[in-house]
Amino acid sequence: MAVETVQTLVIGAGQAGVAASEHLGKHGLQHLVVERARIAERWRSERWDSLVANGPAWHDRFPGMTFEGHDPDSFPPKETIATYFETYAQRIGAPIRCGVNVSALRRADSGFLAETSNGTIAARNVICATGPFQRPLIPATVPAEAGLFQIHSAAYRNPAQLPPGAVMVVGAGSSGVQIAE
């Protein structure tokens, strides 16, 4: 199979990947964005049901595009965010290939080689826009024999997953606060 060559490869088509594509495109830089599933997949299927944007609609948006049908001071829900990213990517003509999983990335003489589910891609530059929390971590502070149910925010979807009784949410970042609410 032939090796595909691009100037810049962007791995991930969430907010950061779409934004990177916009800036590269504005500067006339040839690039390709690959996404393992769909645009904004983490928003679509890898977070809890009631997830909303971390900031108000007037703030958490791309330049020149508002959240249609949402008050600027509201916090749009995850489905709206995912559709928004997809619409924005189409608007800017982002060269995104969905369903392409990157399994390895290594240095090469002229840049990098990415092994993907669609073959090898050679790139002079690579932007990893895969998000900050790919590997959930639950510190081993509670012994297994304590019988406590623990779940990471990456696996949490809704309160029906939890056993009856009191709940303690550890962490007061956006995830912890939204889940506690």
Side-chain angles (χ1 to χ4, degrees):
M1 184 180 284
V3 174
E4 180 177 6
T5 302
V6 297
Q7 184 176 358
T8 301
L9 176 65
V10 179
I11 303 170
Q15 183 174 2
V18 172
S21 180
E22 177 183 25
H23 290 289
L24 290 165
K26 280 185 177 178
H27 290 285
L29 299 172
Q30 188 263 344
H31 65 285
L32 172 65
V33 181
V34 293
E35 168 57 46
R36 66 183 166 83
R38 301 172 290 175
I39 294 171
E41 186 64 36
R42 289 193 191 278
W43 283 89
R44 295 174 192 277
S45 66
E46 297 181 24
R47 298 293 183 261
W48 56 98
D49 298 343
S50 60
L51 174 66
V52 297
N54 292 334
W58 67 264
H59 180 269
D60 284 4
R61 62 181 182 81
F62 287 119
M65 187 171 147
T66 61
F67 283 93
E68 295 286 325
H70 287 273
D71 181 289
D73 291 326
S74 71
F75 291 72
K78 69 179 192 167
E79 295 81 13
T80 300
I81 299 287
T83 300
Y84 178 86
F85 290 169
E86 192 171 54
T87 301
Y88 196 77
Q90 291 168 354
R91 180 180 283 185
I92 64 169
I96 298 175
R97 273 191 212 149
C98 292
V100 179
N101 186 52
V102 177
S103 57
L105 179 67
R106 67 180 187 277
R107 284 288 273 153
D109 293 335
S110 60
F112 299 89
L113 287 175
E115 300 301 328
T116 79
S117 54
N118 285 6
T120 303
I121 300 173
R124 177 72 190 119
N125 310 294
V126 174
I127 297 172
C128 291
T130 57
F133 308 112
Q134 297 84 11
R135 294 195 178 119
L137 173 68
I138 297 177
T141 56
V142 177
E145 61 271 7
L148 294 176
F149 177 77
Q150 296 184 75
I151 188 170
H152 191 276
S153 61
Y156 176 77
R157 294 296 172 262
N158 57 59
Q161 291 176 278
L162 307 177
V167 173
M168 179 172 81
V169 176
V170 178
S174 295
S175 298
V177 170
Q178 284 188 32
I179 290 170
E181 182 180 28

